[in-house]
Amino acid sequence: MPTALLDLVLPPRCAGCDAPGALFCSRCAAELYGEPGRRMPDPSPPGLPECWSATVYTGAVRRAVVAYKERGRTALARPLAGALALTVATAAGKRPVVLVPVPSSRSAGRRRGHDPVNRLAGLAAAYLQAAGWPATVERMLVQRRRVADQAGLSSLQRAENLSRAFRVTVNRNGSVPGFWGDSGVVVLVDDIVTTGATLAEAARALRAAGIAVPLAATVAATRRRERISGGHRR
């Protein structure tokens, strides 16, 4: 039976710790919502927008994101999108926002049976709108070629894999459908940020179309890796 259907017919268990009684227990929810902030990969690739995330990609949050993204627990979209909306609000201040989701590949969409980032962006915008925040979603990015799975690739390999991978959909007159420059601050949206290569390439494609991209927001950010410099870890 599909996992999404099981979520409807069986008593819920927490996606973070497997405790019975709730899709996300209060302790795991505190991990998810507790510390939205600016988290940049180190080192950061050129052209990366300022990156904000709800929390770090570890523990209960990591388990929940994997369950939602790869195991079909689509009911988790709502709590994850709530964390994303809180992050966007923290990053953007009082400015109207235009959320631009990073597109998944067609093969990933077929394998998963859903588009996790598109769903998160739409729900996050709805939460912001319900709170009186001017927020829209513009799905203006598409993949222009096939890319390899990013898992296990180094920072350099990720950048090479994604080089020129995205383009912006435009009308015949060269304008972006549904987008005006005064719509609000553009915020790139993804589920997690690791090296920043995906967000940097997405931002490059938008800038090539004349769209400024000052911010990116994700549910979670991987912890900064220790680097060795002069024989010392830091």
Side-chain angles (χ1 to χ4, degrees):
M1 184 180 291
T3 306
L5 185 56
L6 287 174
D7 282 339
L8 294 175
V9 300
L10 294 179
R13 302 188 72 89
C14 175
C17 66
D18 204 38
L23 190 63
F24 229 77
C25 73
S26 58
R27 185 179 65 180
C28 292
E31 275 189 50
L32 178 61
Y33 297 113
E35 49 177 333
R38 182 180 181 275
R39 294 181 178 87
M40 299 291 290
D42 184 18
S44 293
L48 181 69
E50 186 174 300
C51 290
W52 289 68
S53 60
T55 186
V56 293
Y57 187 59
T58 188
V61 173
R62 183 183 185 281
R63 290 189 288 272
V65 170
V66 170
Y68 164 64
K69 186 175 178 180
E70 304 293 349
R71 297 174 185 165
R73 292 197 67 181
T74 54
L76 289 167
R78 292 192 175 278
L80 295 176
L84 182 62
L86 180 61
T87 302
V88 170
T90 304
K94 297 181 179 180
R95 295 174 289 180
V97 293
V98 179
L99 307 186
V100 179
V102 173
S104 300
S105 67
R106 291 181 180 178
S107 60
R110 287 193 298 268
R111 185 182 75 250
R112 293 169 180 152
H114 69 126
D115 189 330
V117 178
N118 258 330
R119 188 190 299 259
L120 290 179
L123 286 170
Y127 286 139
L128 290 167
Q129 292 163 5
W133 204 290
T136 58
V137 179
E138 292 293 344
R139 295 174 175 87
M140 61 180 79
L141 283 172
V142 295
Q143 286 203 341
R144 66 190 306 172
R145 62 173 178 80
R146 185 175 297 180
V147 297
D149 190 338
Q150 295 278 83
L153 299 183
S154 68
S155 297
L156 179 60
Q157 289 169 332
R158 284 174 180 246
E160 291 174 345
N161 182 46
L162 288 164
S163 178
R164 306 288 167 174
F166 302 125
R167 65 177 177 84
V168 175
T169 56
V170 295
N171 294 317
R172 290 183 179 180
N173 63 3
S175 64
V176 178
F179 180 78
W180 296 268
D182 58 355
S183 300
V185 60
V186 171
V187 184
L188 270 173
V189 171
D190 209 347
D191 53 349
I192 61 172
V193 57
T194 302
T195 67
T198 301
L199 290 169
E201 170 55 24
R204 181 211 60 78
L206 289 167
R207 292 184 187 119
I211 300 169
V213 192
L215 295 173
T218 64
V219 174
T222 57
R223 292 187 184 277
R224 292 183 177 184
R225 299 171 181 172
E226 291 184 326
R227 294 186 295 163
I228 298 177
S229 177
H232 298 283
R233 291 189 180 273
R234 60 187 181 95

